[in-house]
Amino acid sequence: MLGSRRSRRRLTTALAGLGLFVTGAALQVTTTAAPAHAATTNRVLFDDGHAEEAGNADWIISTSKPDPLSQDSSPSAETDWTGALSSWGVALQKTGDYSLKTATSALTYGGSSTTDLSNFDTLVLPEPNTLFTTAEKTAIMTFVQNGGGLFMISDHTGADRNSDGEDAVEILNDLMTNNSVDSTDPFGFSIDTLDISSGYPAAISDSTNEVLNGAFGTVTKSLIADGTTATLKPADNANVKGLVYRSGYSGNTGAFFATSTFGSGRVAFWGDSSPIDDGTGQSGNTLYDGWNDTGATNAALALNATAWLSGDGSSSGGGGGGGTCTAAQLLGNPGFESGNTTWTASSGVITTSSSEAARTGSYKAWLDGYGSAHTDTLSQSVTIPSGCSATLSFYLHIDTAETTTSTAYDKLTVTAGSTTLATYSNLNAASGYVLKSFDVSSLAGTTATINFSGVEGSTLQTSFVIDDTALNVS
């Protein structure tokens, strides 16, 4: 019975969780701007509103802004456009599949500006040197969450080109950890505070990866000329993947190029701006031609990644099916508003109890929270059509009475078929609901069970509250 279940919970902790939810929920509000992805031309926006031209940097595709075509409407050589990124821009333009613009003012999402992010598929941040405002960070994160691609290019720590006290490492980490959409390691990696003087990081072996083996060529190595790496945290985002590694590193450390997902969108990270520098730019800049470095395949890496981020490929999040697929959301009763239907759940899990608030509507799935040894489950079987890319997402709120900072006494395990996607615990408790997203494209052509299993220890409650699930295919 729901009443007896609620009476066994630690009411004070549950009410505290409700208060935390109210605070967090205010941060989860998103705009209802148009979907990011276009059906035909891939629309790419290069940022130049955050000191990307300070010092010796010249990270622009053209001096003509916002439209590089005003400098040369049909460029055939990279010198037809002026900027250290002109090779990148011209190579995309020559395919006929891309529309390129440059943003010189504050980044927005859902506004009326021609460079508003809702008008683009991919945003490139080429070594920004000023902090993004609170509004800009909300715009960027919402853009990605709703299906946009984000290309973050860093440089080494201390590369403060405009002497404002901030470098790209700090600025990009701030974007990921200090935003109003999701600050709990949303992409599953952090950028290292390092200055690596030189090297040729090598690509992993993965013949199916669209970034390493795409239409623009095969990636074997990249270039470090004073750069940094990233530390991966797959426990926070199971879709994070290192593609290129600093010599002597692998796994979760030393990733020089990495990809991930967030919501319906895609993310790429590169640890140095030297690989995208083509050696030509505006007068007075001292530049380096990393784009054409013969020891690396930087052009293929930049261009393949742009295509992948823009959705110019069959797979979501770096893997999965191919062919045609009708876009759809496959889970039944995804927000639990129909009560105990479609899902198979332990008694009392799907509830309207006011002790833990739903993210939206009245119902949510509340696993555990008894403060005694207990197991709750929630599951639904779903058939994912062949040829589809598939993403499972849900919002999770965790509150706990546990005080430890080191021991996971209570755990929630999320599986899809036989694959464990993530395990959360009392150590992941946070205010409000947090979006979790996983690429499950490998399950295309099968019927798989999506399962949540919460196991609680003998004392002190931990509540795992789930709402607004989705399994989107495209």
Side-chain angles (χ1 to χ4, degrees):
M1 297 292 292
L2 291 182
S4 62
R5 183 172 191 268
R6 295 303 165 235
S7 65
R8 291 171 58 194
R9 295 186 185 272
R10 289 183 178 266
L11 182 59
T12 55
T13 303
L15 290 176
L18 176 58
L20 290 174
F21 163 76
V22 172
T23 301
L27 301 180
Q28 296 296 331
V29 176
T30 59
T31 67
T32 55
H37 285 294
T40 53
T41 303
N42 298 304
R43 305 160 298 173
V44 182
L45 182 67
F46 287 81
D47 181 47
D48 187 33
H50 298 86
E52 281 91 352
E53 295 179 68
N56 276 328
D58 195 46
W59 310 139
I60 57 174
I61 56 174
S62 169
T63 52
S64 177
K65 310 165 195 174
D67 191 353
L69 296 179
S70 295
Q71 182 174 10
D72 190 316
S73 61
S74 184
S76 59
E78 62 94 3
T79 52
D80 292 336
W81 288 355
T82 304
L85 307 188
S86 61
S87 287
W88 189 353
V90 169
L92 292 174
Q93 181 65 36
K94 288 170 66 176
T95 68
D97 297 328
Y98 290 83
S99 172
L100 312 177
K101 295 291 188 294
T102 300
T104 57
S105 56
L107 296 169
T108 61
Y109 182 71
S112 58
S113 168
T114 57
T115 56
D116 185 84
L117 290 173
S118 63
N119 298 319
F120 294 90
D121 302 297
T122 295
L123 170 65
V124 180
L125 302 177
E127 196 194 335
N129 251 256
T130 59
L131 286 167
F132 298 103
T133 66
T134 298
E136 286 181 309
K137 287 185 286 188
T138 298
I140 295 168
M141 297 298 292
T142 305
F143 165 70
V144 181
Q145 186 180 56
N146 288 356
L150 177 64
F151 204 153
M152 300 191 297
I153 300 165
S154 185
D155 202 4
H156 62 90
T157 189
D160 180 8
R161 298 181 185 274
N162 61 343
S163 301
D164 69 345
E166 305 289 346
D167 58 39
V169 173
E170 296 166 323
I171 292 163
L172 295 175
N173 277 333
D174 178 72
L175 169 64
M176 295 185 286
T177 62
N178 184 27
N179 67 80
S180 67
V181 178
D182 187 343
S183 292
T184 58
D185 193 23
F187 306 152
F189 67 85
S190 59
I191 303 173
D192 301 325
T193 305
L194 294 173
D195 183 352
I196 305 165
S197 60
S198 62
Y200 284 96
I204 64 170
S205 177
D206 186 348
S207 61
T208 65
N209 188 274
E210 297 169 22
V211 176
L212 299 180
N213 301 275
F216 294 97
T218 299
V219 176
T220 56
K221 290 185 177 182
S222 187
L223 164 75
I224 299 180
D226 285 318
T228 189
T229 54
T231 296
L232 310 186
K233 303 172 186 177
D236 294 339
N237 187 324
N239 292 331
V240 69
K241 184 172 185 177
L243 301 186
V244 179
Y245 283 87
R246 180 186 179 190
S247 179
Y249 291 80
S250 62
N252 294 334
T253 60
F256 184 60
F257 196 103
T259 58
S260 189
T261 64
F262 175 62
S264 300
R266 302 173 176 184
V267 179
F269 160 79
W270 209 340
D272 194 359
S273 54
S274 296
I276 59 172
D277 187 345
D278 63 22
T280 67
Q282 299 173 83
S283 177
N285 288 319
T286 303
L287 301 169
Y288 174 77
D289 189 1
W291 186 267
N292 296 302
D293 191 297
T294 57
T297 47
N298 293 318
L301 183 53
L303 296 168
N304 285 344
T306 308
W308 177 76
L309 288 167
S310 300
D312 189 13
S314 61
S315 302
S316 173
T324 60
C325 179
T326 301
Q329 195 290 110
L330 302 181
L331 289 178
N333 192 19
F336 309 107
E337 294 306 307
S338 297
N340 288 287
T341 63
T342 311
W343 295 92
T344 299
S346 301
S347 176
V349 164
I350 298 176
T351 176
T352 59
S353 170
S354 60
S355 296
E356 286 285 359
R359 177 179 178 269
T360 60
S362 300
Y363 282 87
K364 69 280 177 180
W366 181 359
L367 288 79
D368 295 332
Y370 287 98
S372 60
H374 186 81
T375 298
D376 275 330
T377 58
L378 172 73
S379 65
Q380 182 177 149
S381 293
V382 59
T383 299
I384 304 174
S386 298
C388 285
S389 299
T391 301
L392 172 69
S393 64
F394 56 91
Y395 283 85
L396 175 65
H397 170 54
I398 304 173
D399 78 57
T400 186
E402 301 284 1
T403 58
T404 178
T405 59
S406 59
T407 305
Y409 290 112
D410 313 310
K411 296 181 180 179
L412 175 73
T413 302
V414 184
T415 60
S418 60
T419 302
T420 298
L421 301 177
T423 299
Y424 306 101
S425 74
N426 48 281
L427 300 177
N428 303 118
S431 60
Y433 281 86
V434 178
L435 177 65
K436 304 297 181 182
S437 179
F438 304 91
D439 174 26
V440 292
S441 301
S442 61
L443 298 176
T446 70
T447 297
T449 298
I450 307 302
N451 185 74
F452 301 86
S453 178
V455 178
E456 192 172 21
S458 59
T459 61
L460 299 180
Q461 77 87 25
T462 297
S463 295
F464 301 100
V465 192
I466 299 164
D467 204 356
D468 297 328
T469 67
L471 203 164
N472 290 306
V473 296
S474 61

